[in-house]
Amino acid sequence: MTSFLYRLGRAAIRRRRLTLLVWAIVAVGVIAVAQAGGGETSDRFEIPGVEAQRALDVLEEDFPSAAGTSAQLVFAVEDGGGGSGSDITLSDPDAARAIDAALADVAAQPDVGNVGELQRSPDDRIGYADVQYDRPSEDIRDQAYERLEATADATNQSGVVQMELGGDLPTEAAQEPPEGQEIIGLVVAVIVLLVAFGSVIAMGLPIGLALVGLATSLGLITLVAAVVDVNTVAPTLAAMIGLGVGIDYALFIVTRHRENLRAGMTVEEAAGRAVATSGAAVLFAGVTVIIAICGLAIAGITAVTVMGLMAGLTVAVMVAIALTLLPALLGFAGHRIDALRVPGLRGGAGVPGRESMWHRWGRQVSAHPWRYLVGGVLALGLLAAPVFSMRLGMTDNGTSPTSMTTRRAYDLLADGFGPGFNGPLLLSIELDGATVDDLAPLESAIAADPGVQAVAPAQANDDGTAAVLRVIPTSAPQDEDTTDLVHRLRDGVIPQALSDAPGAEVHVGGQTALFIDMSDKISSRLLWFIGAVILLSVVLLMMVFRSVAVPLKAAVMNLLSIGAAYGVIVAVFQWGWLKGLFGVEETVPIVSFMPMMLFAILFGLSMDYEVFLLSRVREEYLHRRNNDAAVIEGISATARVITSAALIMISVFAAFVLGDDPIIKMFGLGLATAVFIDATIVRIVLVPATMKLLGEWNWWLPGWLDRRLPNLDVEGGTGLPEPEYEPGRGPAVPTPDRIREPALAD
């Protein structure tokens, strides 16, 4: 593999104009085709095998009128809205005229099948009307929402009645515009790269590469959305991960390339060896991310799998562009890569032979390994403690910013009709010989449950083969009491009520129940997924480092660091600790698919740092046969690059916390926290401490296992020819730097 990458890197430089042209055609072509024929994202979830999905299928099959999307028109008059002390209500003549005009306007709009009567709160200050469309949301969403917005704007301008929009169609269409969080992350990345390289040209290569890869990836995602449902979170998540890994992958390769140039190699040789060594680590890390993300299929939820695959697609594009376009750009830069230097910034590695801060730190940890091991584990354990109270769920309009009409509609309905009104349970009933009248005991039993606020009378379809029953809980959709109610209805109330009424099969559904079922399904498979990913990481690291202890240690540390990230997310979003600092308005359960996806992504990212650090440690060990010296030298040689890479990723991920979407906030905070922990507590505290304590056992591998495991040479440069140097440059005799590359070939 390293020989192939070496030839690939050199070929990209020799044919750099062609390589640049091909990538330009690909990027522009993908973007153009995506704009012309790409699809739109969707919040549709299908969860095969769960009761709520069966309820939805029955509803769509037996109630064709409900197959289209829907919306809610919410009206309100404020307390004292007609002046100080005013008792104005929705029945006031001016308010009534404004509401009737709005309802008539919506009823006349295209694709509207029916507008229901106005339903009023007990104090007649808040009301709503249901709007049923004839077509699915994906066919009419944007145009229909624009018409609803126009009606709401005209009504609100009257100054008599407040009108807000809720329901399925507005929820899907009323997305907050992008707030440019990527720009903040890019600005920080520019600063970090300038400090690391000290050169504008060297800094610009990773940034430009990441932007080209991101534009191409988002275009591909838009094309995929024309064929399959892609969740609305997927592009933002892909942008977050793509920027982070794209800049980091380029950083590793550019760093090795500059080291090779300083050693006197030709530009083509330096880039070829950089792609063969650091590029091999990039390929390894990228492939492991993609493999882990593909494991999301274990959840059995198509929307989650597709969301992960879109992130994996972005990583694949970033790997491909780093291994091909980057060396071409390095060829264009040539020896001028360090031109346009920033005054006062040295950039590059330390002065050979001079002891650095990281040398001193490595010796400090090696002198007191137990102290640092116990301290690091305790710190991670404390951060991870909240994970044991993690409750999975989904966000809804109640967690959106108050600047959105859907959030204001949610709050008004909760105030007027109770907290459970925004999360009704829809019971789909298959009437196999039974009639609606036979459902009276069922309605009474459900209404008697303390968690139920109201039960609407069952409504049968035209041929009497099915019925739908609307149940309003007393608690909000996100409350644990609502989850308990769903399980209680399914496991006890409904079976007992139907024991004397055979011929009816009831399925508890609705969006709230669907999200509860999704959380339950993911929870039941989460440990299997984590186990599969950990097993994969152990096997892969055994192949790379020919060791048993190193992979097992890495697996445990990955669990600790990711557990700490989970704990921070639970503390902020579920417990509400420091929620104001992160712009979280309401406490919410942890998004059900977040732990799985976060684990898959962080597994690959941590593998990147693991390989980069430990491959250097192993190089030194094979050269010196001194474990302690190898650990110290490995940390000192890689800490600067790992710190720079981590700062870039942290800044990119943390920038997304500034947005309003709580799902993106969770991912941003979780990824930033995990990368920070991995690059600090794990890499520069726990790794050297454990490797010092294990000593020579770090590199033990049973002979029978050594013979059976393939040998993956990552960053070793095995099989490469002798370096080509510029005339009059390069070492006259072999030096440790020249010995280092083939040292992993044993």
Side-chain angles (χ1 to χ4, degrees), residues 57-70:
D57 295 341
V58 170
L59 187 65
E60 292 179 347
E61 179 181 349
D62 295 322
F63 291 85
S65 61
T69 188
S70 62

Side-chain angles (χ1 to χ4, degrees), residues 109-189:
Q109 292 175 2
D111 304 312
V112 173
N114 177 61
V115 177
E117 296 183 359
L118 183 68
Q119 306 296 315
R120 305 168 186 267
S121 63
D123 61 3
D124 197 26
R125 294 186 181 277
I126 299 174
Y128 72 93
D130 291 321
V131 180
Q132 183 65 43
Y133 288 87
D134 296 329
R135 299 171 63 188
S137 175
E138 54 265 26
D139 295 341
I140 61 172
R141 178 174 59 194
D142 293 338
Q143 299 85 349
Y145 181 67
E146 288 176 1
R147 290 188 284 266
L148 289 177
E149 276 192 308
T151 302
D153 290 342
T155 303
N156 289 325
Q157 288 173 5
S158 70
V160 178
V161 176
Q162 176 187 358
M163 180 178 175
E164 305 294 347
L165 304 174
D168 293 340
L169 186 142
T171 297
E172 293 185 20
Q175 301 294 326
E176 282 284 274
E179 299 183 30
Q181 294 97 335
E182 301 93 337
I183 303 300
I184 300 174
L186 283 174
V187 170
V188 178

Side-chain angles (χ1 to χ4, degrees), residues 680-711:
T680 54
I681 298 178
V682 172
R683 297 296 155 223
I684 65 175
V685 176
L686 294 181
V687 167
T690 53
M691 295 193 78
K692 164 66 177 179
L693 292 171
L694 289 171
E696 298 298 321
W697 286 101
N698 283 305
W699 314 111
W700 175 78
L701 183 70
W704 63 269
L705 186 57
D706 188 22
R707 291 188 294 271
R708 286 168 173 78
L709 283 177
N711 194 337

